[in-house]
Amino acid sequence: MTRRAPRIFTLPVLGALITATGFAGPAAADPLTQPVFVDGQAQVVPEFADQSTWIRERLWVETEFDSDGDGRRDRMHVDVTRPGPTADGLKVPVVYETSPYYAGTASTERQYFWNMNVEVGAEPPPRTSPPPITHRPDRTSVSTSEVGTWVPRGFAVVHSDSPGTGLSQGCPTVGGANESLAPKAVVDWLNGRAKGYSSAVGGEPVSATDWATGKVGMTGTSYNGTLPLAAATTGVKGLEAIIPIAPNTSYYHYYRSNGLVRNPGGWPGEDIDYLFDYISSGYPETRDYCAQHVRVDEMNRHQDRATGDYNDFWAGRDLLNQVRGVRAATLMAHAFNDWNVVPEHSVRITEALKKQGTPVQQYFHQGGHGGAPPLDMRNRWFTRYLYGVRNGVENDPKAFIVRNETGTSELTPYADYPNPEAEPVTMNPLSGGGLSSLARPGSGTEQFVDAGALACNAGTLATQESENRLLYVSPELSAPVHISGTTRVKIRLAASKPAANLSIALVKLPWTGGAGCESSTRGSTTSVITRGWADPQNSRSLRHGDPLEPGRFVELTVPLQPDDQVIPAGSRIGLMIFSTDHEFTLHPEPGTVLTVDLARTSVELPVVGGPLAMPICAEPDTRPTVVVGGIDSGVPNRSLTGTCTVNDHILDTEEWPNHGQFVRHVTEVADQLVKADVISPRDRADLVRAAARSKVGK
């Protein structure tokens, strides 16, 4: 009998008769042995869901590299779980997850991390590695994750140990080339382009081409979410779709921030060489070789915990530099309050994918590390790109965000992320502690003292008077404010020492959550809107830092972590500038004095609706017409967001350096009002004419 690939049946949502009877196609076909789709999603098929018929096998796939120096190509340990009907000619696509964690991990006791009590810019004392991970040669499978979700729906599920972990040969490299090439080899094997064997050495050939269609989707969370993207950068044919969840897309961005040594949240003192130790569960006979050649000769030589500068070592572990190879349709998932793998990891990649035309969709939520998109979203993604069902997912909104900041939780679609309606709003810190977009820049300088090793967490700094920070707070919001995108802080500062931490947080007040010295501010229930860190020594270059001359000012722009959050009415937005961040940075000796120049410091906040949407008018100007420097323009003084009016945005009572700047400001405001359909072009002309006639700035 000639075996043919079975037909795919698609059931529409409508059609009660079809849904009720289960008939979806010609009676000649057996629907129980075919994949079934309803509303563009693969459905559970009873025969696929019968675990007693599942086919399980394991093998070793030969790669194109030799990372453990034994003169033979490394082989990856792989397991397969597939529906029973694949033994009778059914070919199915594959959902694939790979990981360095499956075979166990090392101790997380703090004694094995780097010492955090070190001066910024100083060489740290040596670190002690944890005891070796117990090798488990008796493992008969890799993992069972994803199996219960996808096999009943007509997919095979494949797992593999990463190089140098479990029963996979090679060395762990934590972002090295072999971590991309290892899953590539598995995809190649599923397409008949790479060899599989029944054992790690020698063995009988094992093929997948009699049951696999060759179309593969990869997924996973955290490190496991990094590897689908790493595999996709190789451009391997057959990898059609990926769903990375909280992926680490750059080990520099994981362990450094803008030139500053920074640990991932919750893991003080972790660095890339510790992560090597944490996952090194591979064959004992190759561990010494790997430790010497990878951890000592490469990582310890180039990771540079003294300066924190970017270099070729880090560039080689930055997937943004390899993203041109990604053709796989990407459903990216991340949390805006993920302080382990911060959200910039996903945002920087999706921006690049959009520019190069790779199909991409984004899912965000307001929680912490991890959090997969809803199953129906993942199902539609894999159904479209692995089974080829035209479910229209490519025409869906490009971004979905869980909204739960001001009410019940709701998955909300948007045209894209960042929100296309978001525009930058410049907020200026003012002497006396104010923060406003409706005021000219402040003047003078203000100082704070680094608490160093005695630093408390951000909650304490935001809620108590302290010489260890500067805090600038907006008036109370009279309406909600929707922030979407990356906040950037421009700052001009000087330090009393050649090196210092710089930490910045945008906070929501009144504060909620823990505010004790040791309470964490990493969770989604705190008032940290977003935050960032930087080394002032790297104001001119990320690759080369310049020691600070005490008292000499430097200027830099610090991008805070991407966010999409609705700040409720009644809140105040605060800009907090401090030095040592107890949870994230090194802990030097206290006492460094930092001086901030207010006139050259500002916040660029991405607000949906732009400057006109900032409801921060403490004493709204409710005159019936817009008056510009005593000149009545005759233009109605219309209400804007919250209690603000057009008059509040004219700023004719502020001190302007000259008349021309004031007229340009009024012109910009008038243009914004026309764009927002608040005033007519004729009104615009009247406003500009009134500004020109006024004596403001003269």
Side-chain angles (χ1 to χ4, degrees), residues 141 151 186:
S141 67
V151 174
V186 175

Side-chain angles (χ1 to χ4, degrees), residues 402-557:
V402 176
R403 291 259 80 92
N404 57 8
E405 309 95 304
T406 59
T408 58
S409 182
E410 184 176 350
L411 185 61
T412 306
Y414 292 94
D416 206 346
Y417 176 82
N419 192 309
E421 297 180 10
E423 296 181 11
V425 175
T426 300
M427 302 192 74
N428 296 310
L430 309 173
S431 57
L435 179 70
S436 180
S437 60
L438 300 177
R440 294 280 297 153
S443 60
T445 61
E446 295 191 342
Q447 293 183 331
F448 63 97
V449 181
D450 180 21
L454 302 178
C456 288
N457 287 337
T460 301
L461 292 177
T463 55
Q464 300 179 16
E465 289 293 329
S466 175
E467 67 170 357
N468 302 133
R469 52 77 169 155
L470 298 175
L471 180 62
Y472 303 94
V473 182
S474 76
E476 184 176 295
L477 303 179
S478 57
V481 171
H482 185 179
I483 297 170
S484 181
T486 299
T487 297
R488 289 177 169 80
V489 177
K490 297 180 180 179
I491 186 168
R492 185 172 186 262
L493 58 78
S496 63
K497 291 184 180 179
N501 294 315
L502 174 61
S503 302
I504 298 174
L506 201 67
V507 299
K508 177 178 59 180
L509 300 174
W511 185 269
T512 58
C517 190
E518 290 298 324
S519 62
S520 174
T521 56
R522 293 183 288 107
S524 59
T525 59
T526 72
S527 285
V528 173
I529 299 171
T530 182
R531 65 204 309 172
W533 309 264
D535 186 346
Q537 295 181 105
N538 292 95
S539 61
R540 296 195 301 175
S541 169
L542 196 58
R543 282 184 173 263
H544 303 287
D546 300 316
L548 303 175
E549 295 182 23
R552 182 177 179 181
F553 284 87
V554 296
E555 294 187 40
L556 62 157
T557 298

Side-chain angles (χ1 to χ4, degrees), residues 67-147:
S67 61
D68 56 16
D70 64 359
R72 300 190 304 267
R73 292 182 176 182
D74 298 338
R75 292 184 181 181
M76 299 300 106
H77 184 217
V78 177
D79 72 16
V80 176
T81 305
R82 50 190 171 96
T86 58
D88 299 319
L90 175 68
K91 287 193 172 186
V92 296
V94 168
V95 173
Y96 170 31
E97 182 175 8
T98 183
S99 175
Y101 297 147
Y102 290 141
T105 53
S107 171
T108 58
E109 293 182 25
R110 291 292 182 251
Q111 66 197 47
Y112 303 119
F113 290 75
W114 288 92
N115 188 343
M116 297 292 288
N117 295 322
V118 177
E119 290 299 305
V120 180
E123 289 288 346
R127 182 187 66 84
T128 301
S129 290
I133 302 168
T134 301
H135 187 58
R136 297 166 54 194
D138 57 342
R139 291 171 68 227
T140 58
S141 67
V142 179
S143 175
T144 59
S145 70
E146 304 291 343
V147 169

